[in-house]
Amino acid sequence: MKTKLSSRATALSGLLFTATLMIPAMSIQAQEGGSFTGQTLPPSTYRGTSQGAATGSESSPFLSPAESDQEAGEDGSFRNRPPFVRDAPQSNLPGSVPPSSGVTGGSFSSTQPRTNAPANTGFAPPPSSSFNSTTVSTSGVQQEGAGPGTVSGGSTANECTIEECKVELIMDIEVPARATGPLSEMNVELNQLVSETEQVAKVDDQEATRILEQATLKYDMARTISQDRTAIEMAENKVKLATTEYRVNYNLYKKRSKTRQEALRSQYSMQIAELEEVDARNQFEIARMEAAAELVNVHAARETVERHQILSPVNGVVLERFRERGEWVNRGDKVLRIAPLDRLYVRGVVSADNYVPSVFDNKLVVVTSRLGGRNIEFQGRVVRTDLEQQGLNEYGVVVEVINQRDATGHWMLLPGAFVNGRILLDRNAPEQSALGAPEGDNVQR
């Protein structure tokens, strides 16, 4: 019995020596298969691996398959133990996965042979492979590599931020002189608020006023004549008298008391009276038409006088005065420049890589301006996008903003200022008539 145990101990020592020599080769082979990190492990780390578990060989270099389920004791006997039990804890293995990671299965599997391609060994992947690419979809535009709900430029999936946008006038009107002559009045100053049809300047209109007065007098005369029916009444009475005389003379002619010539004379007198009545009526109609013609002249003369007045075409602010009082102006010369400030344009740029122009059609926009140490919000809408890109990856958007007045009546948002804005991609702007200031307090302190 002692001889048998001694032989077995000698055989076991030989096997352990052989395993010690083969550990480096196993480490290199496992690295190629994705199961090891290339470090040399002590022979006591793994014991009892099954056929083809680590090296891919047909037999284990540690113990025979029949003895893999047993372990030799100090007395040389073998006691049963679970297969594939590792003497060293798994957490001590280089590159091992902690139990809390949720990865099942060890690095050595008795059912999965080694292949040339790296296998799912349970080891933690390298840092470069741990990136989880997320795709964010914003109105049909996909952005890869961004986090959930965010887009480039600090925007979110439902908003697009535009920064350092310039405020511009929607229109500015150079008001011209409509008549020739010296400027007799200049009624406005720079930066003064004016209303539509307000008289802002005036060209000397003395001559035009005199022509208007003459035309008015002529019209009054023609109107008086056109209202006079005296000539018609006189003609009517003559017709009555001539008709009566003709009847009397005709009866006397039948009784042989009047001659034929006298009867004919009374007949011709009656016909002449009737023609004079027609002429009187025609003259009356002519007088009425002449009065109407004089009225047209009055309107023309009045319009000439009005053309000497320079009126504001819009509600706005006087930005510039080109002429001063007393200067000579010709018809068409510009005198003032007036611009409406109730609505303004804000121009910004967005990334062509992240958005297509159609996503901005009529979207609601909140514009923020820093005034007096406070952030003041203005509401607007996208009215158009530029057809041409600006630079390589940007194109412009134009926002129409509703301006507001302060407590003194002055406009708060002025042309030339730079503001920031947020385009709400999930909200369409209301009707233009309903578009106004944001709800609640629009001043953020």
Side-chain angles (χ1 to χ4, degrees):
M1 176 65 66
K2 291 183 179 181
T3 304
K4 187 177 180 179
L5 292 176
S6 176
S7 61
R8 287 188 176 185
T10 303
L12 181 59
S13 300
L15 290 175
L16 292 176
F17 178 76
T18 304
T20 303
L21 297 178
M22 295 183 65
I23 283 298
M26 289 175 58
S27 301
I28 297 174
Q29 278 188 336
Q31 185 178 8
E32 294 176 355
S35 301
F36 286 91
T37 62
Q39 299 178 359
T40 302
L41 304 180
S44 62
T45 305
Y46 299 96
R47 295 184 60 186
T49 53
S50 63
Q51 180 179 359
T55 64
S57 62
E58 296 181 356
S59 62
S60 172
F62 298 99
L63 295 176
S64 64
E67 298 173 337
S68 61
D69 294 339
Q70 295 181 345
E71 182 177 0
E74 295 180 355
D75 56 356
S77 62
F78 289 86
R79 59 177 181 269
N80 295 330
R81 63 172 293 177
F84 315 123
V85 175
R86 304 170 183 176
D87 293 340
Q90 185 176 0
S91 60
N92 294 333
L93 299 178
S96 62
V97 181
S100 61
S101 63
V103 180
T104 60
S107 300
F108 299 91
S109 174
S110 61
T111 60
Q112 182 177 356
R114 180 179 63 86
T115 60
N116 293 331
N120 184 12
T121 62
F123 289 98
S128 60
S129 62
S130 63
F131 176 77
N132 184 16
S133 178
T134 305
T135 300
V136 180
S137 177
T138 306
S139 303
V141 181
Q142 293 184 346
Q143 307 167 58
E144 297 184 355
T150 63
V151 295
S152 61
S155 303
T156 64
N158 295 327
E159 291 185 2
C160 175
T161 302
I162 51 177
E163 299 178 347
E164 295 298 321
C165 305
K166 187 176 182 180
V167 180
E168 298 179 355
L169 294 169
I170 294 181
M171 63 175 176
D172 59 327
I173 303 174
E174 294 179 346
V175 184
R178 299 186 296 165
T180 300
L183 280 177
S184 60
E185 296 180 11
M186 178 60 72
N187 303 326
V188 293
E189 301 293 337
L190 293 178
N191 300 327
Q192 179 176 335
L193 295 174
V194 294
S195 58
E196 187 176 358
T197 70
E198 179 182 349
Q199 180 176 320
V200 293
K202 184 179 180 181
V203 180
D204 184 75
D205 61 349
Q206 295 182 7
E207 182 178 357
T209 302
R210 287 195 296 268
I211 295 175
L212 176 61
E213 293 175 354
Q214 293 177 1
T216 303
L217 291 174
K218 290 182 179 180
Y219 168 69
D220 292 340
M221 293 172 59
R223 185 180 60 178
T224 301
I225 295 174
S226 66
Q227 295 175 353
D228 186 8
R229 300 181 59 88
T230 304
I232 296 177
E233 294 176 356
M234 291 176 61
E236 289 176 351
N237 292 331
K238 286 182 178 181
V239 170
K240 292 178 181 179
L241 179 59
T243 302
T244 302
E245 290 181 351
Y246 169 69
R247 289 177 180 176
V248 171
N249 291 333
Y250 180 74
N251 291 331
L252 292 175
Y253 168 72
K254 290 172 60 178
K255 295 178 180 180
R256 308 285 181 177
S257 299
K258 291 287 187 180
T259 62
R260 177 180 172 81
Q261 293 179 349
E262 291 175 343
L264 290 174
R265 187 181 296 111
S266 60
Q267 182 180 359
Y268 295 154
S269 298
M270 181 187 67
Q271 294 175 351
I272 291 172
E274 290 175 352
L275 293 175
E276 289 177 352
E277 180 185 3
V278 172
D279 182 65
R281 293 184 181 278
N282 291 337
Q283 293 298 325
F284 181 78
E285 293 298 327
I286 292 173
R288 291 181 58 185
M289 289 186 288
E290 288 179 350
E294 294 298 335
L295 181 60
V296 172
N297 293 334
V298 170
H299 291 329
R302 183 175 291 115
E303 291 177 359
T304 301
V305 172
E306 292 176 353
R307 280 199 298 269
H308 287 72
Q309 301 174 2
I310 301 176
L311 308 179
S312 173
V314 292
N315 296 324
V317 178
V318 179
L319 301 180
E320 191 172 358
R321 297 198 322 185
F322 300 105
R323 299 297 179 92
E324 298 297 332
R325 180 180 177 182
E327 292 188 45
W328 184 272
V329 294
N330 295 317
R331 183 176 181 179
D333 291 347
K334 55 186 180 181
V335 178
L336 297 167
R337 186 165 73 97
I338 300 176
L341 297 182
D342 55 340
R343 294 175 184 267
L344 297 170
Y345 277 162
V346 171
R347 294 185 180 270
V349 292
V350 296
S351 174
D353 294 336
N354 298 331
Y355 302 99
V356 294
S358 59
V359 302
F360 299 108
D361 292 343
N362 199 38
K363 295 303 180 182
L364 187 66
V365 182
V366 177
V367 174
T368 304
S369 178
R370 187 74 175 173
L371 298 173
R374 299 174 298 175
N375 289 330
I376 301 178
E377 291 186 348
F378 304 85
Q379 196 175 86
R381 64 186 181 96
V382 178
V383 293
R384 68 174 181 271
T385 56
D386 292 342
L387 298 179
E388 296 182 357
Q389 291 189 5
Q390 300 180 7
L392 297 178
N393 299 316
E394 294 178 337
Y395 60 88
V397 293
V398 181
V399 178
E400 182 182 355
V401 179
I402 307 300
N403 205 351
Q404 305 173 32
R405 296 177 186 264
D406 58 14
T408 61
H410 292 83
W411 293 111
M412 303 177 70
L413 194 61
L414 299 177
F418 287 88
V419 297
N420 299 327
R422 293 181 292 111
I423 304 176
L424 308 183
L425 301 177
D426 57 346
R427 293 183 60 186
N428 289 328
E431 296 294 334
Q432 187 172 5
S433 59
L435 190 63
E439 297 180 0
D441 185 11
N442 63 322
V443 179
Q444 300 178 355
R445 295 175 174 80

